[in-house]
C-alpha cells in the first residue's frame, strides 16, 4: 500500500480480475475507501461525467458515471498514459484575488466503515482515440500492448486538514492475441465496425458475436463482445429493426440462456447484462429475467442485486 501520508487513517484498495489482458479486451477495475480510525473522516466526491451509449461503464442504468479525475496511469518507463481525450479537464483558475479555488466537496465515511464503488472499464478511460480510422464518437478506444501501472488519488479531510492519498497500485500487462484468440479478435473488431451508428449492419454485428460464441467458446474476448452487444441491445427499439435482426437476437439470447453455466467471473456478469437488455429489447418482462436468474441459481454481485431487486428495479414493459 503506497500512501503519501503515512499517518492517514483512510486507505484506498484497488482491485482487478487479473493482471494480463489481450489487446482490446475490457479491463474492469473497482475500488473501496476504508476508514480505519475511530472518528468520522471525509473523502472527496469524484467529478461525475454522464455519458449516453459509449459503453465505458455498464452499471445497469440509463446513464454511466466515471470518476475520471482520480485515475493515474503510467507505463513501465514512467510515461503517463493520457485519458483518451475524453477526461474531465480542470478549470483554469486566474491568479487574481477575484477568483478562488473552491474547496472540494467532501463526503463522510463512518469509523471502521467501507465505501465500495462500482466497476469501471479502463478501456473507456485511457484508450487511444483512433480505431481503424474511427472518429472520436464513432470509433473505438483501446490501450496499446505494454506493461502498465494504475493508481487512484483522492483528497481526504482529517482533523480539518486536506491531504491526498494514493491507492495501492495495480500492475498489469496488455499483450497481442495469437492463434485462436487472434481469430476471435478479428471477429470482435468486425462486430465493432458493424455497430457504427451511421454505416453499421446490426444483423452482421449479431452474426460476428455468434461466430465467437460458437467457434471460440474459451476466448477471453467473449466478455468484451457481450458487453458491447449489450449496448447494441440498449440502443435498439423494437419496430425499427429488420425482422432478421429480431429473429437472430432471439436465437442468440436462447443460446446464452442455455449455456449460461459455462460462463464464469466477469464474463458471467457480461452475459447476464446481455440477456437482460436483449430480453427487454424484445419486450420480455423483467419478471421473466428475475425468474431465469433464480431458476439457474446465478450469483449476483451487489450492483446486479440492486438493479434487479432494488427500489429502482426495471419495470415490466406495457402490454
Amino acid at each position: 500500500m503506497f500512501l503519501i501520508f503515512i499517518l492517514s487513517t483512510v486507505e484506498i484498495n484497488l482491485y482487478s480480475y487479473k493482471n494480463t489482458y489481450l489487446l482490446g479486451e475490457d479491463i474492469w477495475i473497482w475500488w473501496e475507501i476504508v476508514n480505519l480510525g475511530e472518528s468520522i473522516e471525509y473523502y472527496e466526491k469524484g467529478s461525475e461525467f454522464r455519458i449516453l451509449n459509449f459503453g465505458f461503464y455498464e452499471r445497469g442504468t440509463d446513464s454511466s458515471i466515471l470518476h475520471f479525475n482520480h485515475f493515474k496511469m503510467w507505463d513501465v518507463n514512467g510515461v503517463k498514459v493520457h485519458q483518451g481525450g475524453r477526461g474531465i479537464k480542470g478549470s483554469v483558475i486566474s491568479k487574481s484575488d477575484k477568483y478562488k479555488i473552491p474547496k472540494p466537496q467532501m463526503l463522510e465515511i463512518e469509523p471502521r466503515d467501507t465505501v465500495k464503488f462500482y466497476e469501471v472499464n479502463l478501456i473507456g478511460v485511457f484508450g487511444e482515440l483512433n480505431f481503424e480510422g474511427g472518429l472520436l464518437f464513432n470509433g473505438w478506444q483501446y490501450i496499446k500492448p505494454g506493461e502498465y501501472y494504475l493508481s487512484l488519488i483522492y483528497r481526504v479531510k482529517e482533523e480539518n486538514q486536506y491531504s491526498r492519498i494514493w491507492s495501492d497500485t495495480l500492475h498489469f500487462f496488455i499483450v497481442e492475441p495469437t492463434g485462436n484468440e487472434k481469430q476471435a479478435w478479428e471477429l470482435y473488431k468486425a462486430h465493432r465496425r458493424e455497430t457504427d451508428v451511421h454505416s453499421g449492419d446490426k444483423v452482421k454485428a449479431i452474426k460476428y458475436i455468434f461466430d465467437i460464441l460458437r467457434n471460440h467458446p474459451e476466448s477471453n474476448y467473449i466478455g468484451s463482445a457481450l458487453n458491447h452487444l449489450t449496448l447494441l441491445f440498449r440502443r435498439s427499439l423494437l419496430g425499427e429493426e429488420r425482422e432478421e435482426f429480431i429473429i437472430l437476437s432471439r436465437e442468440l439470447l436462447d443460446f446464452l440462456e442455455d449455456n449460461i453455466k459455462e460462463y464464469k467471473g466477469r464474463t458471467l456478469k457480461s452475459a447476464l447484462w446481455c440477456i437482460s437488455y436483449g430480453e427487454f429489447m424484445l419486450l420480455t418482462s423483467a419478471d421473466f429475467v428475475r425468474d431465469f436468474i433464480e431458476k439457474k441459481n446465478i450469483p449476483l454481485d451487489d450492483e446486479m442485486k440492486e438493479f434487479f431487486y432494488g427500489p429502482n428495479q426495471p419495470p415490466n414493459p406495457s402490454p
Side-chain angles (χ1 to χ4, degrees):
M1 181 70 63
F2 298 103
L3 299 177
I4 290 180
F5 295 91
I6 304 300
L7 297 180
S8 175
T9 58
V10 178
E11 70 176 25
I12 308 168
N13 300 319
L14 184 59
Y15 305 97
S16 64
Y17 287 95
K18 53 186 180 179
N19 60 14
T20 301
Y21 298 86
L22 297 177
L23 174 64
E25 183 184 356
D26 288 341
I27 303 174
W28 294 97
I29 61 107
W30 67 99
W31 65 97
E32 62 186 16
I33 299 178
V34 184
N35 181 0
L36 300 173
E38 302 297 336
S39 60
I40 294 175
E41 305 293 355
Y42 300 84
Y43 67 93
E44 179 183 11
K45 180 180 180 181
S47 297
E48 295 181 349
F49 178 55
R50 295 182 180 271
I51 57 178
L52 297 177
N53 286 316
F54 302 119
F56 300 157
Y57 175 31
E58 276 304 304
R59 184 180 174 180
T61 60
D62 292 332
S63 298
S64 298
I65 298 176
L66 291 178
H67 298 258
F68 280 107
N69 59 321
H70 297 312
F71 293 126
K72 304 296 177 184
M73 182 172 168
W74 62 98
D75 66 18
V76 68
N77 298 314
V79 178
K80 180 180 178 181
V81 179
H82 295 284
Q83 294 183 350
R86 298 187 189 180
I88 296 177
K89 297 181 179 179
S91 302
V92 176
I93 305 296
S94 169
K95 293 182 180 180
S96 169
D97 291 338
K98 181 180 178 180
Y99 300 97
K100 302 294 184 182
I101 299 177
K103 290 184 178 181
Q105 183 177 354
M106 308 301 285
L107 302 177
E108 287 187 358
I109 178 170
E110 296 289 334
R112 302 293 177 177
D113 198 7
T114 298
V115 178
K116 297 182 179 180
F117 293 80
Y118 287 138
E119 296 173 325
V120 167
N121 185 358
L122 288 186
I123 293 293
V125 181
F126 290 99
E128 297 295 310
L129 282 180
N130 296 313
F131 172 64
E132 301 214 344
L135 299 176
L136 176 62
F137 294 108
N138 293 329
W140 175 42
Q141 296 180 309
Y142 62 98
I143 303 173
K144 293 181 291 188
E147 182 177 355
Y148 296 98
Y149 297 86
L150 177 80
S151 189
L152 296 177
I153 298 177
Y154 271 85
R155 276 188 288 186
V156 298
K157 180 182 178 183
E158 298 174 289
E159 298 182 355
N160 289 322
Q161 297 293 322
Y162 292 99
S163 61
R164 300 174 67 192
I165 61 172
W166 290 70
S167 72
D168 44 2
T169 300
L170 292 182
H171 178 204
F172 61 95
F173 300 83
I174 298 176
V175 300
E176 293 274 2
T178 59
N180 288 332
E181 290 290 30
K182 178 66 174 177
Q183 297 175 27
W185 168 233
E186 294 301 327
L187 290 168
Y188 183 35
K189 288 195 293 183
H191 161 79
R192 296 294 298 245
R193 286 194 293 271
E194 295 301 340
T195 56
D196 184 278
V197 294
H198 299 297
S199 61
D201 185 326
K202 293 182 179 179
V203 171
K204 289 183 179 179
I206 291 282
K207 289 181 177 179
Y208 285 129
I209 295 294
F210 235 147
D211 200 348
I212 297 174
L213 293 174
R214 286 171 166 163
N215 298 321
H216 305 280
E218 303 298 324
S219 174
N220 286 285
Y221 287 111
I222 287 180
S224 304
L226 293 178
N227 179 57
H228 194 261
L229 183 59
T230 301
L231 299 171
L232 177 62
F233 285 154
R234 290 176 67 178
R235 292 198 302 263
S236 300
L237 300 176
L238 201 62
E240 296 183 358
E241 308 298 340
R242 302 204 313 255
E243 182 179 359
E244 186 179 4
F245 174 78
I246 301 300
I247 294 173
L248 197 57
S249 296
R250 179 69 269 163
E251 184 180 352
L252 186 143
L253 291 172
D254 289 343
F255 180 90
L256 286 177
E257 290 165 11
D258 289 342
N259 292 277
I260 191 67
K261 289 295 187 179
E262 301 299 319
Y263 305 116
K264 308 298 180 184
R266 190 55 178 75
T267 301
L268 173 62
K269 185 173 180 178
S270 294
L272 189 53
W273 280 132
C274 190
I275 289 170
S276 301
Y277 280 101
E279 294 289 2
F280 297 160
M281 179 196 68
L282 297 178
L283 301 183
T284 306
S285 72
D287 287 339
F288 169 86
V289 179
R290 279 187 283 265
D291 187 56
F292 167 76
I293 292 171
E294 292 164 6
K295 285 184 176 179
K296 294 290 186 176
N297 196 26
I298 301 174
L300 302 179
D301 63 10
D302 291 342
E303 178 184 357
M304 302 198 83
K305 287 178 182 177
E306 180 182 342
F307 177 73
F308 286 109
Y309 298 99
N312 298 315
Q313 60 188 262
N316 291 316
S318 300

